[in-house]
Amino acid sequence: MAGERARVIVVGAGIAGVACARELVAAGVPVEIRERARVTGGRMASKRFDGRPADIGAAYFTVSDPDFARVVEGWRAAGLAREWTDTFVAYGPDGRHTVPGPMRWAAPRGLRSLVTELASGLPVVVDRLVLGVEPGPTVDGTPADAVVLAMPGPQAALLLDPALTDATRAVQDQQWTSSLAAVLRFPRRRWPDFAGAFVNNHPVLTVVCDDGDRRGDGEPVLVAHTTADFAGRYLLQPTTAAPAVEQAVRDLLALPERADHVHVHRWTYAKPAAGGAGAYHLDDDGVGLAGDAFGEPRVQTAWRSGRDLGRELARKLTR
């Protein structure tokens, strides 16, 4: 392929897809990112309520990879990310206790702002629904030298032509769980001090975060994430889960007042339960897969998967 300008279509503008595209652009490989939503971010999603962002996807991120640490330092220097807490509390059958852990990072403007910054200058086409990836490879009839699907495996499976056997097999190896994320605004802060809480052995809740503490503005907002079993009963009509989630949060934290507002967001594919081997998938058909299914389900994993796939594609397409 020497002397030719390669072209890569990246489907999905979450952090994995954006990290992949950045590596390709840095190597001089023309790229187009297609995103079905109206904004970038993927599962690092934030939604505004009365002008204030609340994170409804990933709750936070941690840093251990030196290369990712340099990216995060850039976000911090720009005022986009900040160290949040290294201590959660845990609720369970044995009561409430503190749980020390790694430093968890948050974003005052919402985690989506980090992906938006990372995508700055990249050719992103939003509100672009991709219908199929066929041998060639081609994306909705558009030929490319390679295609990257940066999304949960079950979503990628809907796009792949069965003739792309290696990629199809790779996404079939992935297993995902569902969740609901509920943003609850209360009249005032009446809960015990905590940054975030793991909720163990609960029929409804898995994690509850003090979004006012996470955002740093002290607003009386909590964000709760539910169990997969509970979410499974409400995937068709997630808004109907609001009363049960609100009651579970109020019971957990002994809150006397009802929430002024509850918003429920559905994540059909919230978290990988079992993923693919290696850091990414790339086959001889020119189809690549990237995301946090290739390792621990972490923001850093998704970034590293996209970065590594982008580097490998750049190596192949520019040699």
Side-chain angles (χ1 to χ4, degrees), residues 143-265:
D145 292 308
V147 174
V148 172
L149 300 180
M151 63 187 67
Q155 292 177 325
L158 297 176
L159 304 182
L160 288 168
D161 187 293
L164 297 167
T165 55
D166 287 346
T168 299
R169 189 179 303 112
V171 296
Q172 288 174 343
D173 289 340
Q174 295 184 18
Q175 299 175 27
W176 288 72
T177 61
S178 303
S179 182
L180 303 178
V183 180
L184 304 99
R185 171 173 282 278
F186 287 88
R188 56 188 62 81
R189 298 175 64 86
R190 297 286 292 271
W191 46 84
D193 288 340
F194 76 105
F198 299 118
V199 189
N200 301 316
N201 301 314
H202 195 280
V204 178
L205 305 173
T206 57
V207 173
V208 179
C209 292
D210 183 338
D211 199 60
D213 186 82
R214 176 169 60 183
R215 191 78 53 238
D217 60 7
E219 288 294 303
V221 177
L222 298 172
V223 177
H225 300 263
T226 75
T227 66
D229 286 344
F230 177 84
R233 302 198 297 271
Y234 293 94
L235 290 179
L236 292 179
Q237 294 181 302
T239 57
T240 62
V245 177
E246 179 189 359
Q247 191 61 58
V249 171
R250 291 179 60 204
D251 290 345
L252 180 75
L253 302 177
L255 302 181
E257 297 173 299
R258 293 182 59 88
D260 290 333
H261 176 77
V262 180
H263 170 83
V264 179
H265 183 88

